[in-house]
Amino acid sequence: MSVVVDQMTHMPIALLEDRNGEALDNWLTRNPQIQYITRDRGRCFTEAINK
């Protein structure tokens, strides 16, 4: 499971079903208003973020 957090409010805004790039890619596709992304050191999200 992964948590997407609003960095301004520090509040969770989404729970992703797993910790892989595909889940994040799908979520980002449905949320095009996202402009900036930071992440932990997990490499599993790098490809989805770069897309």
Side-chain angles (χ1 to χ4, degrees):
M1 181 155 300
S2 298
V3 179
V4 179
V5 176
D6 182 312
Q7 285 210 243
M8 300 301 280
T9 65
H10 304 284
M11 299 296 292
I13 57 174
L15 291 175
L16 304 180
E17 59 274 2
D18 50 34
R19 189 166 170 80
N20 66 38
E22 185 178 342
L24 178 61
D25 186 32
N26 292 335
W27 187 83
L28 288 171
T29 299
R30 292 188 313 270
N31 293 278
Q33 74 278 9
I34 302 299
Q35 295 179 4
Y36 301 100
I37 299 172
T38 60
R39 64 176 178 85
D40 64 11
R41 295 191 62 138
R43 294 183 181 165
C44 56
F45 298 129
T46 303
E47 187 176 319
I49 291 168
N50 289 334
K51 244 176 154 176

